[in-house]
Amino acid sequence: MERITWNQYFMAQSYLLKSRSTCERLAVGAIIVRDKRMIAGGYNGSVSGGVHCIDEGCYVVDGHCVRTIHAEMNALLQCSKFGVATEGAEIYVTHFPCLHCTKAVIQAGIQAVYYSEDYKNDRYAIELLQQAGVVVQKVPIEMEPLQVEQKELVSQMLDKLESYGDPEIKELREKAAGSFIHLNR
């Protein structure tokens, strides 16, 4: 049996955390790793003890859900809460970090960002990561054959709906992208 790479292993862990997300718009998971050991993890959701989007819907202001704390931020805050150093660590995230999370990752001394899916990759975030000397690498996660078949079927159905001019297709594609890895388009 061939073992998976460290990058695949840690990326898979971030996807496992993603399954705990309470965000209805996009589920994201993140793992912070130092010396090949997971030191913290996070997923996007509400503050501890607060109302969750899956229970009462998103609280959207200016196109952003203000109820949600991002996965990367939750992982960094977990390190802070328990006094775990992040200097020189790496972070594995299911989706490319937003600008605010990118800044926090840089300030925390994270040396590498590994992500699986592009998501509104901000040009300034990319520039900041380059300026800070942070390694950025896309690590596509491998899927089982049945998952590939399911993804292709959903993609075909969405294409068909789009051909009929369905106005909700964009929202459906975003939900599907959260369910399947690398849904085409």
Side-chain angles (χ1 to χ4, degrees), residues 26-60:
L26 180 70
V28 178
I31 296 283
I32 299 176
V33 173
R34 191 175 59 241
D35 299 324
K36 302 287 186 249
R37 300 288 182 264
M38 293 178 276
I39 60 173
Y43 52 87
N44 55 334
S46 302
V47 294
S48 297
V51 173
H52 295 284
C53 297
I54 58 172
D55 298 326
E56 294 194 13
C58 293
Y59 184 12
V60 178

Side-chain angles (χ1 to χ4, degrees), residues 72 95-106 113 115 119-136:
E72 303 93 323
H95 296 76
F96 191 86
C98 74
L99 177 59
H100 297 293
C101 287
T102 295
K103 291 187 229 179
V105 161
I106 293 167
V113 174
Y115 71 100
Y119 183 73
K120 300 181 182 179
N121 300 24
D122 186 278
R123 286 184 187 165
Y124 186 52
I126 294 166
E127 182 182 325
L128 287 174
L129 290 163
Q130 289 171 343
Q131 289 173 357
V134 175
V135 172
V136 178

